[in-house]
Amino acid sequence: MIVFDLRCARDGHVFEAWFASSAAYDEQRTRGLLTCPSCGAGEIDKAVMAPNVAPKSNRSVAPAEARDLLAKVAEAQRRALAGSRWVGGNFAAEARAMHAGDKPDAPIHGQASLAEAKQLADEGVPIAPLPLPVTPPETVN
């Protein structure tokens, strides 16, 4: 995992986000999947940040509390999505098809940009954002 300090273009809010790789950040930014948690702005860039270098004695081991917390978050995500089907970037199309009756209703999860989510809501398609970042099933947050 890699952590970036990000900044929204609208109000300059700075926040931290974790990605599997720099390429994952680039792909999510290009698809419009990144939004500011403070104001919802969709124009996000990397913020200038100082390197966070741990002392030599701590470089290879994260604090036990951090490891435990990450394990609990991953387990909560696994339980919450256990009965749901991953549809990836096709979330908006799948949700819209179910709402229109073209596909049977079923629990799904995937990725949608802020614009896609707003459009679904405007169309009356019932969706609920998840409190945790969602990744493909083979990836653990």
Side-chain angles (χ1 to χ4, degrees), residues 88-115:
N90 294 328
F91 179 80
E94 292 279 329
R96 193 172 282 113
M98 283 189 266
H99 183 68
D102 297 336
K103 290 190 173 188
D105 285 345
I108 61 170
H109 65 282
Q111 297 171 327
S113 68
L114 181 60

Side-chain angles (χ1 to χ4, degrees), residues 2 18 20-21 26 70 90 101 105 109 121 126 130 132 135-136:
I2 186 169
W18 292 76
S21 66
D26 292 335
L70 289 174
N90 294 328
D105 285 345
H109 65 282
L130 296 172
L132 304 172
T135 59

Side-chain angles (χ1 to χ4, degrees), residues 9-135:
R10 182 189 302 163
D11 292 320
H13 298 116
V14 176
F15 57 98
E16 186 177 275
W18 292 76
F19 299 90
S21 66
S22 187
Y25 161 79
D26 292 335
E27 189 266 336
Q28 290 183 33
R29 184 176 179 270
T30 301
R31 289 191 56 216
L33 298 174
L34 303 178
T35 58
C36 176
S38 297
C39 66
E43 293 181 44
I44 305 296
D45 291 306
K46 291 180 187 173
V48 176
M49 58 187 266
N52 186 2
V53 179
K56 285 184 180 183
S57 63
N58 292 336
R59 283 191 186 185
S60 63
V61 179
E65 298 85 17
R67 283 194 314 269
D68 291 345
L69 179 59
L70 289 174
K72 287 177 182 176
V73 168
E75 177 59 18
Q77 174 177 297
R78 187 196 62 73
R79 281 195 318 262
L81 302 177
S84 181
R85 181 173 53 94
W86 170 255
V87 295
N90 294 328
F91 179 80
E94 292 279 329
R96 193 172 282 113
M98 283 189 266
H99 183 68
D102 297 336
K103 290 190 173 188
D105 285 345
I108 61 170
H109 65 282
Q111 297 171 327
S113 68
L114 181 60
E116 289 171 321
K118 284 181 179 178
Q119 189 174 14
L120 288 171
D122 290 345
E123 294 171 16
V125 178
I127 60 170
L130 296 172
L132 304 172
V134 178
T135 59

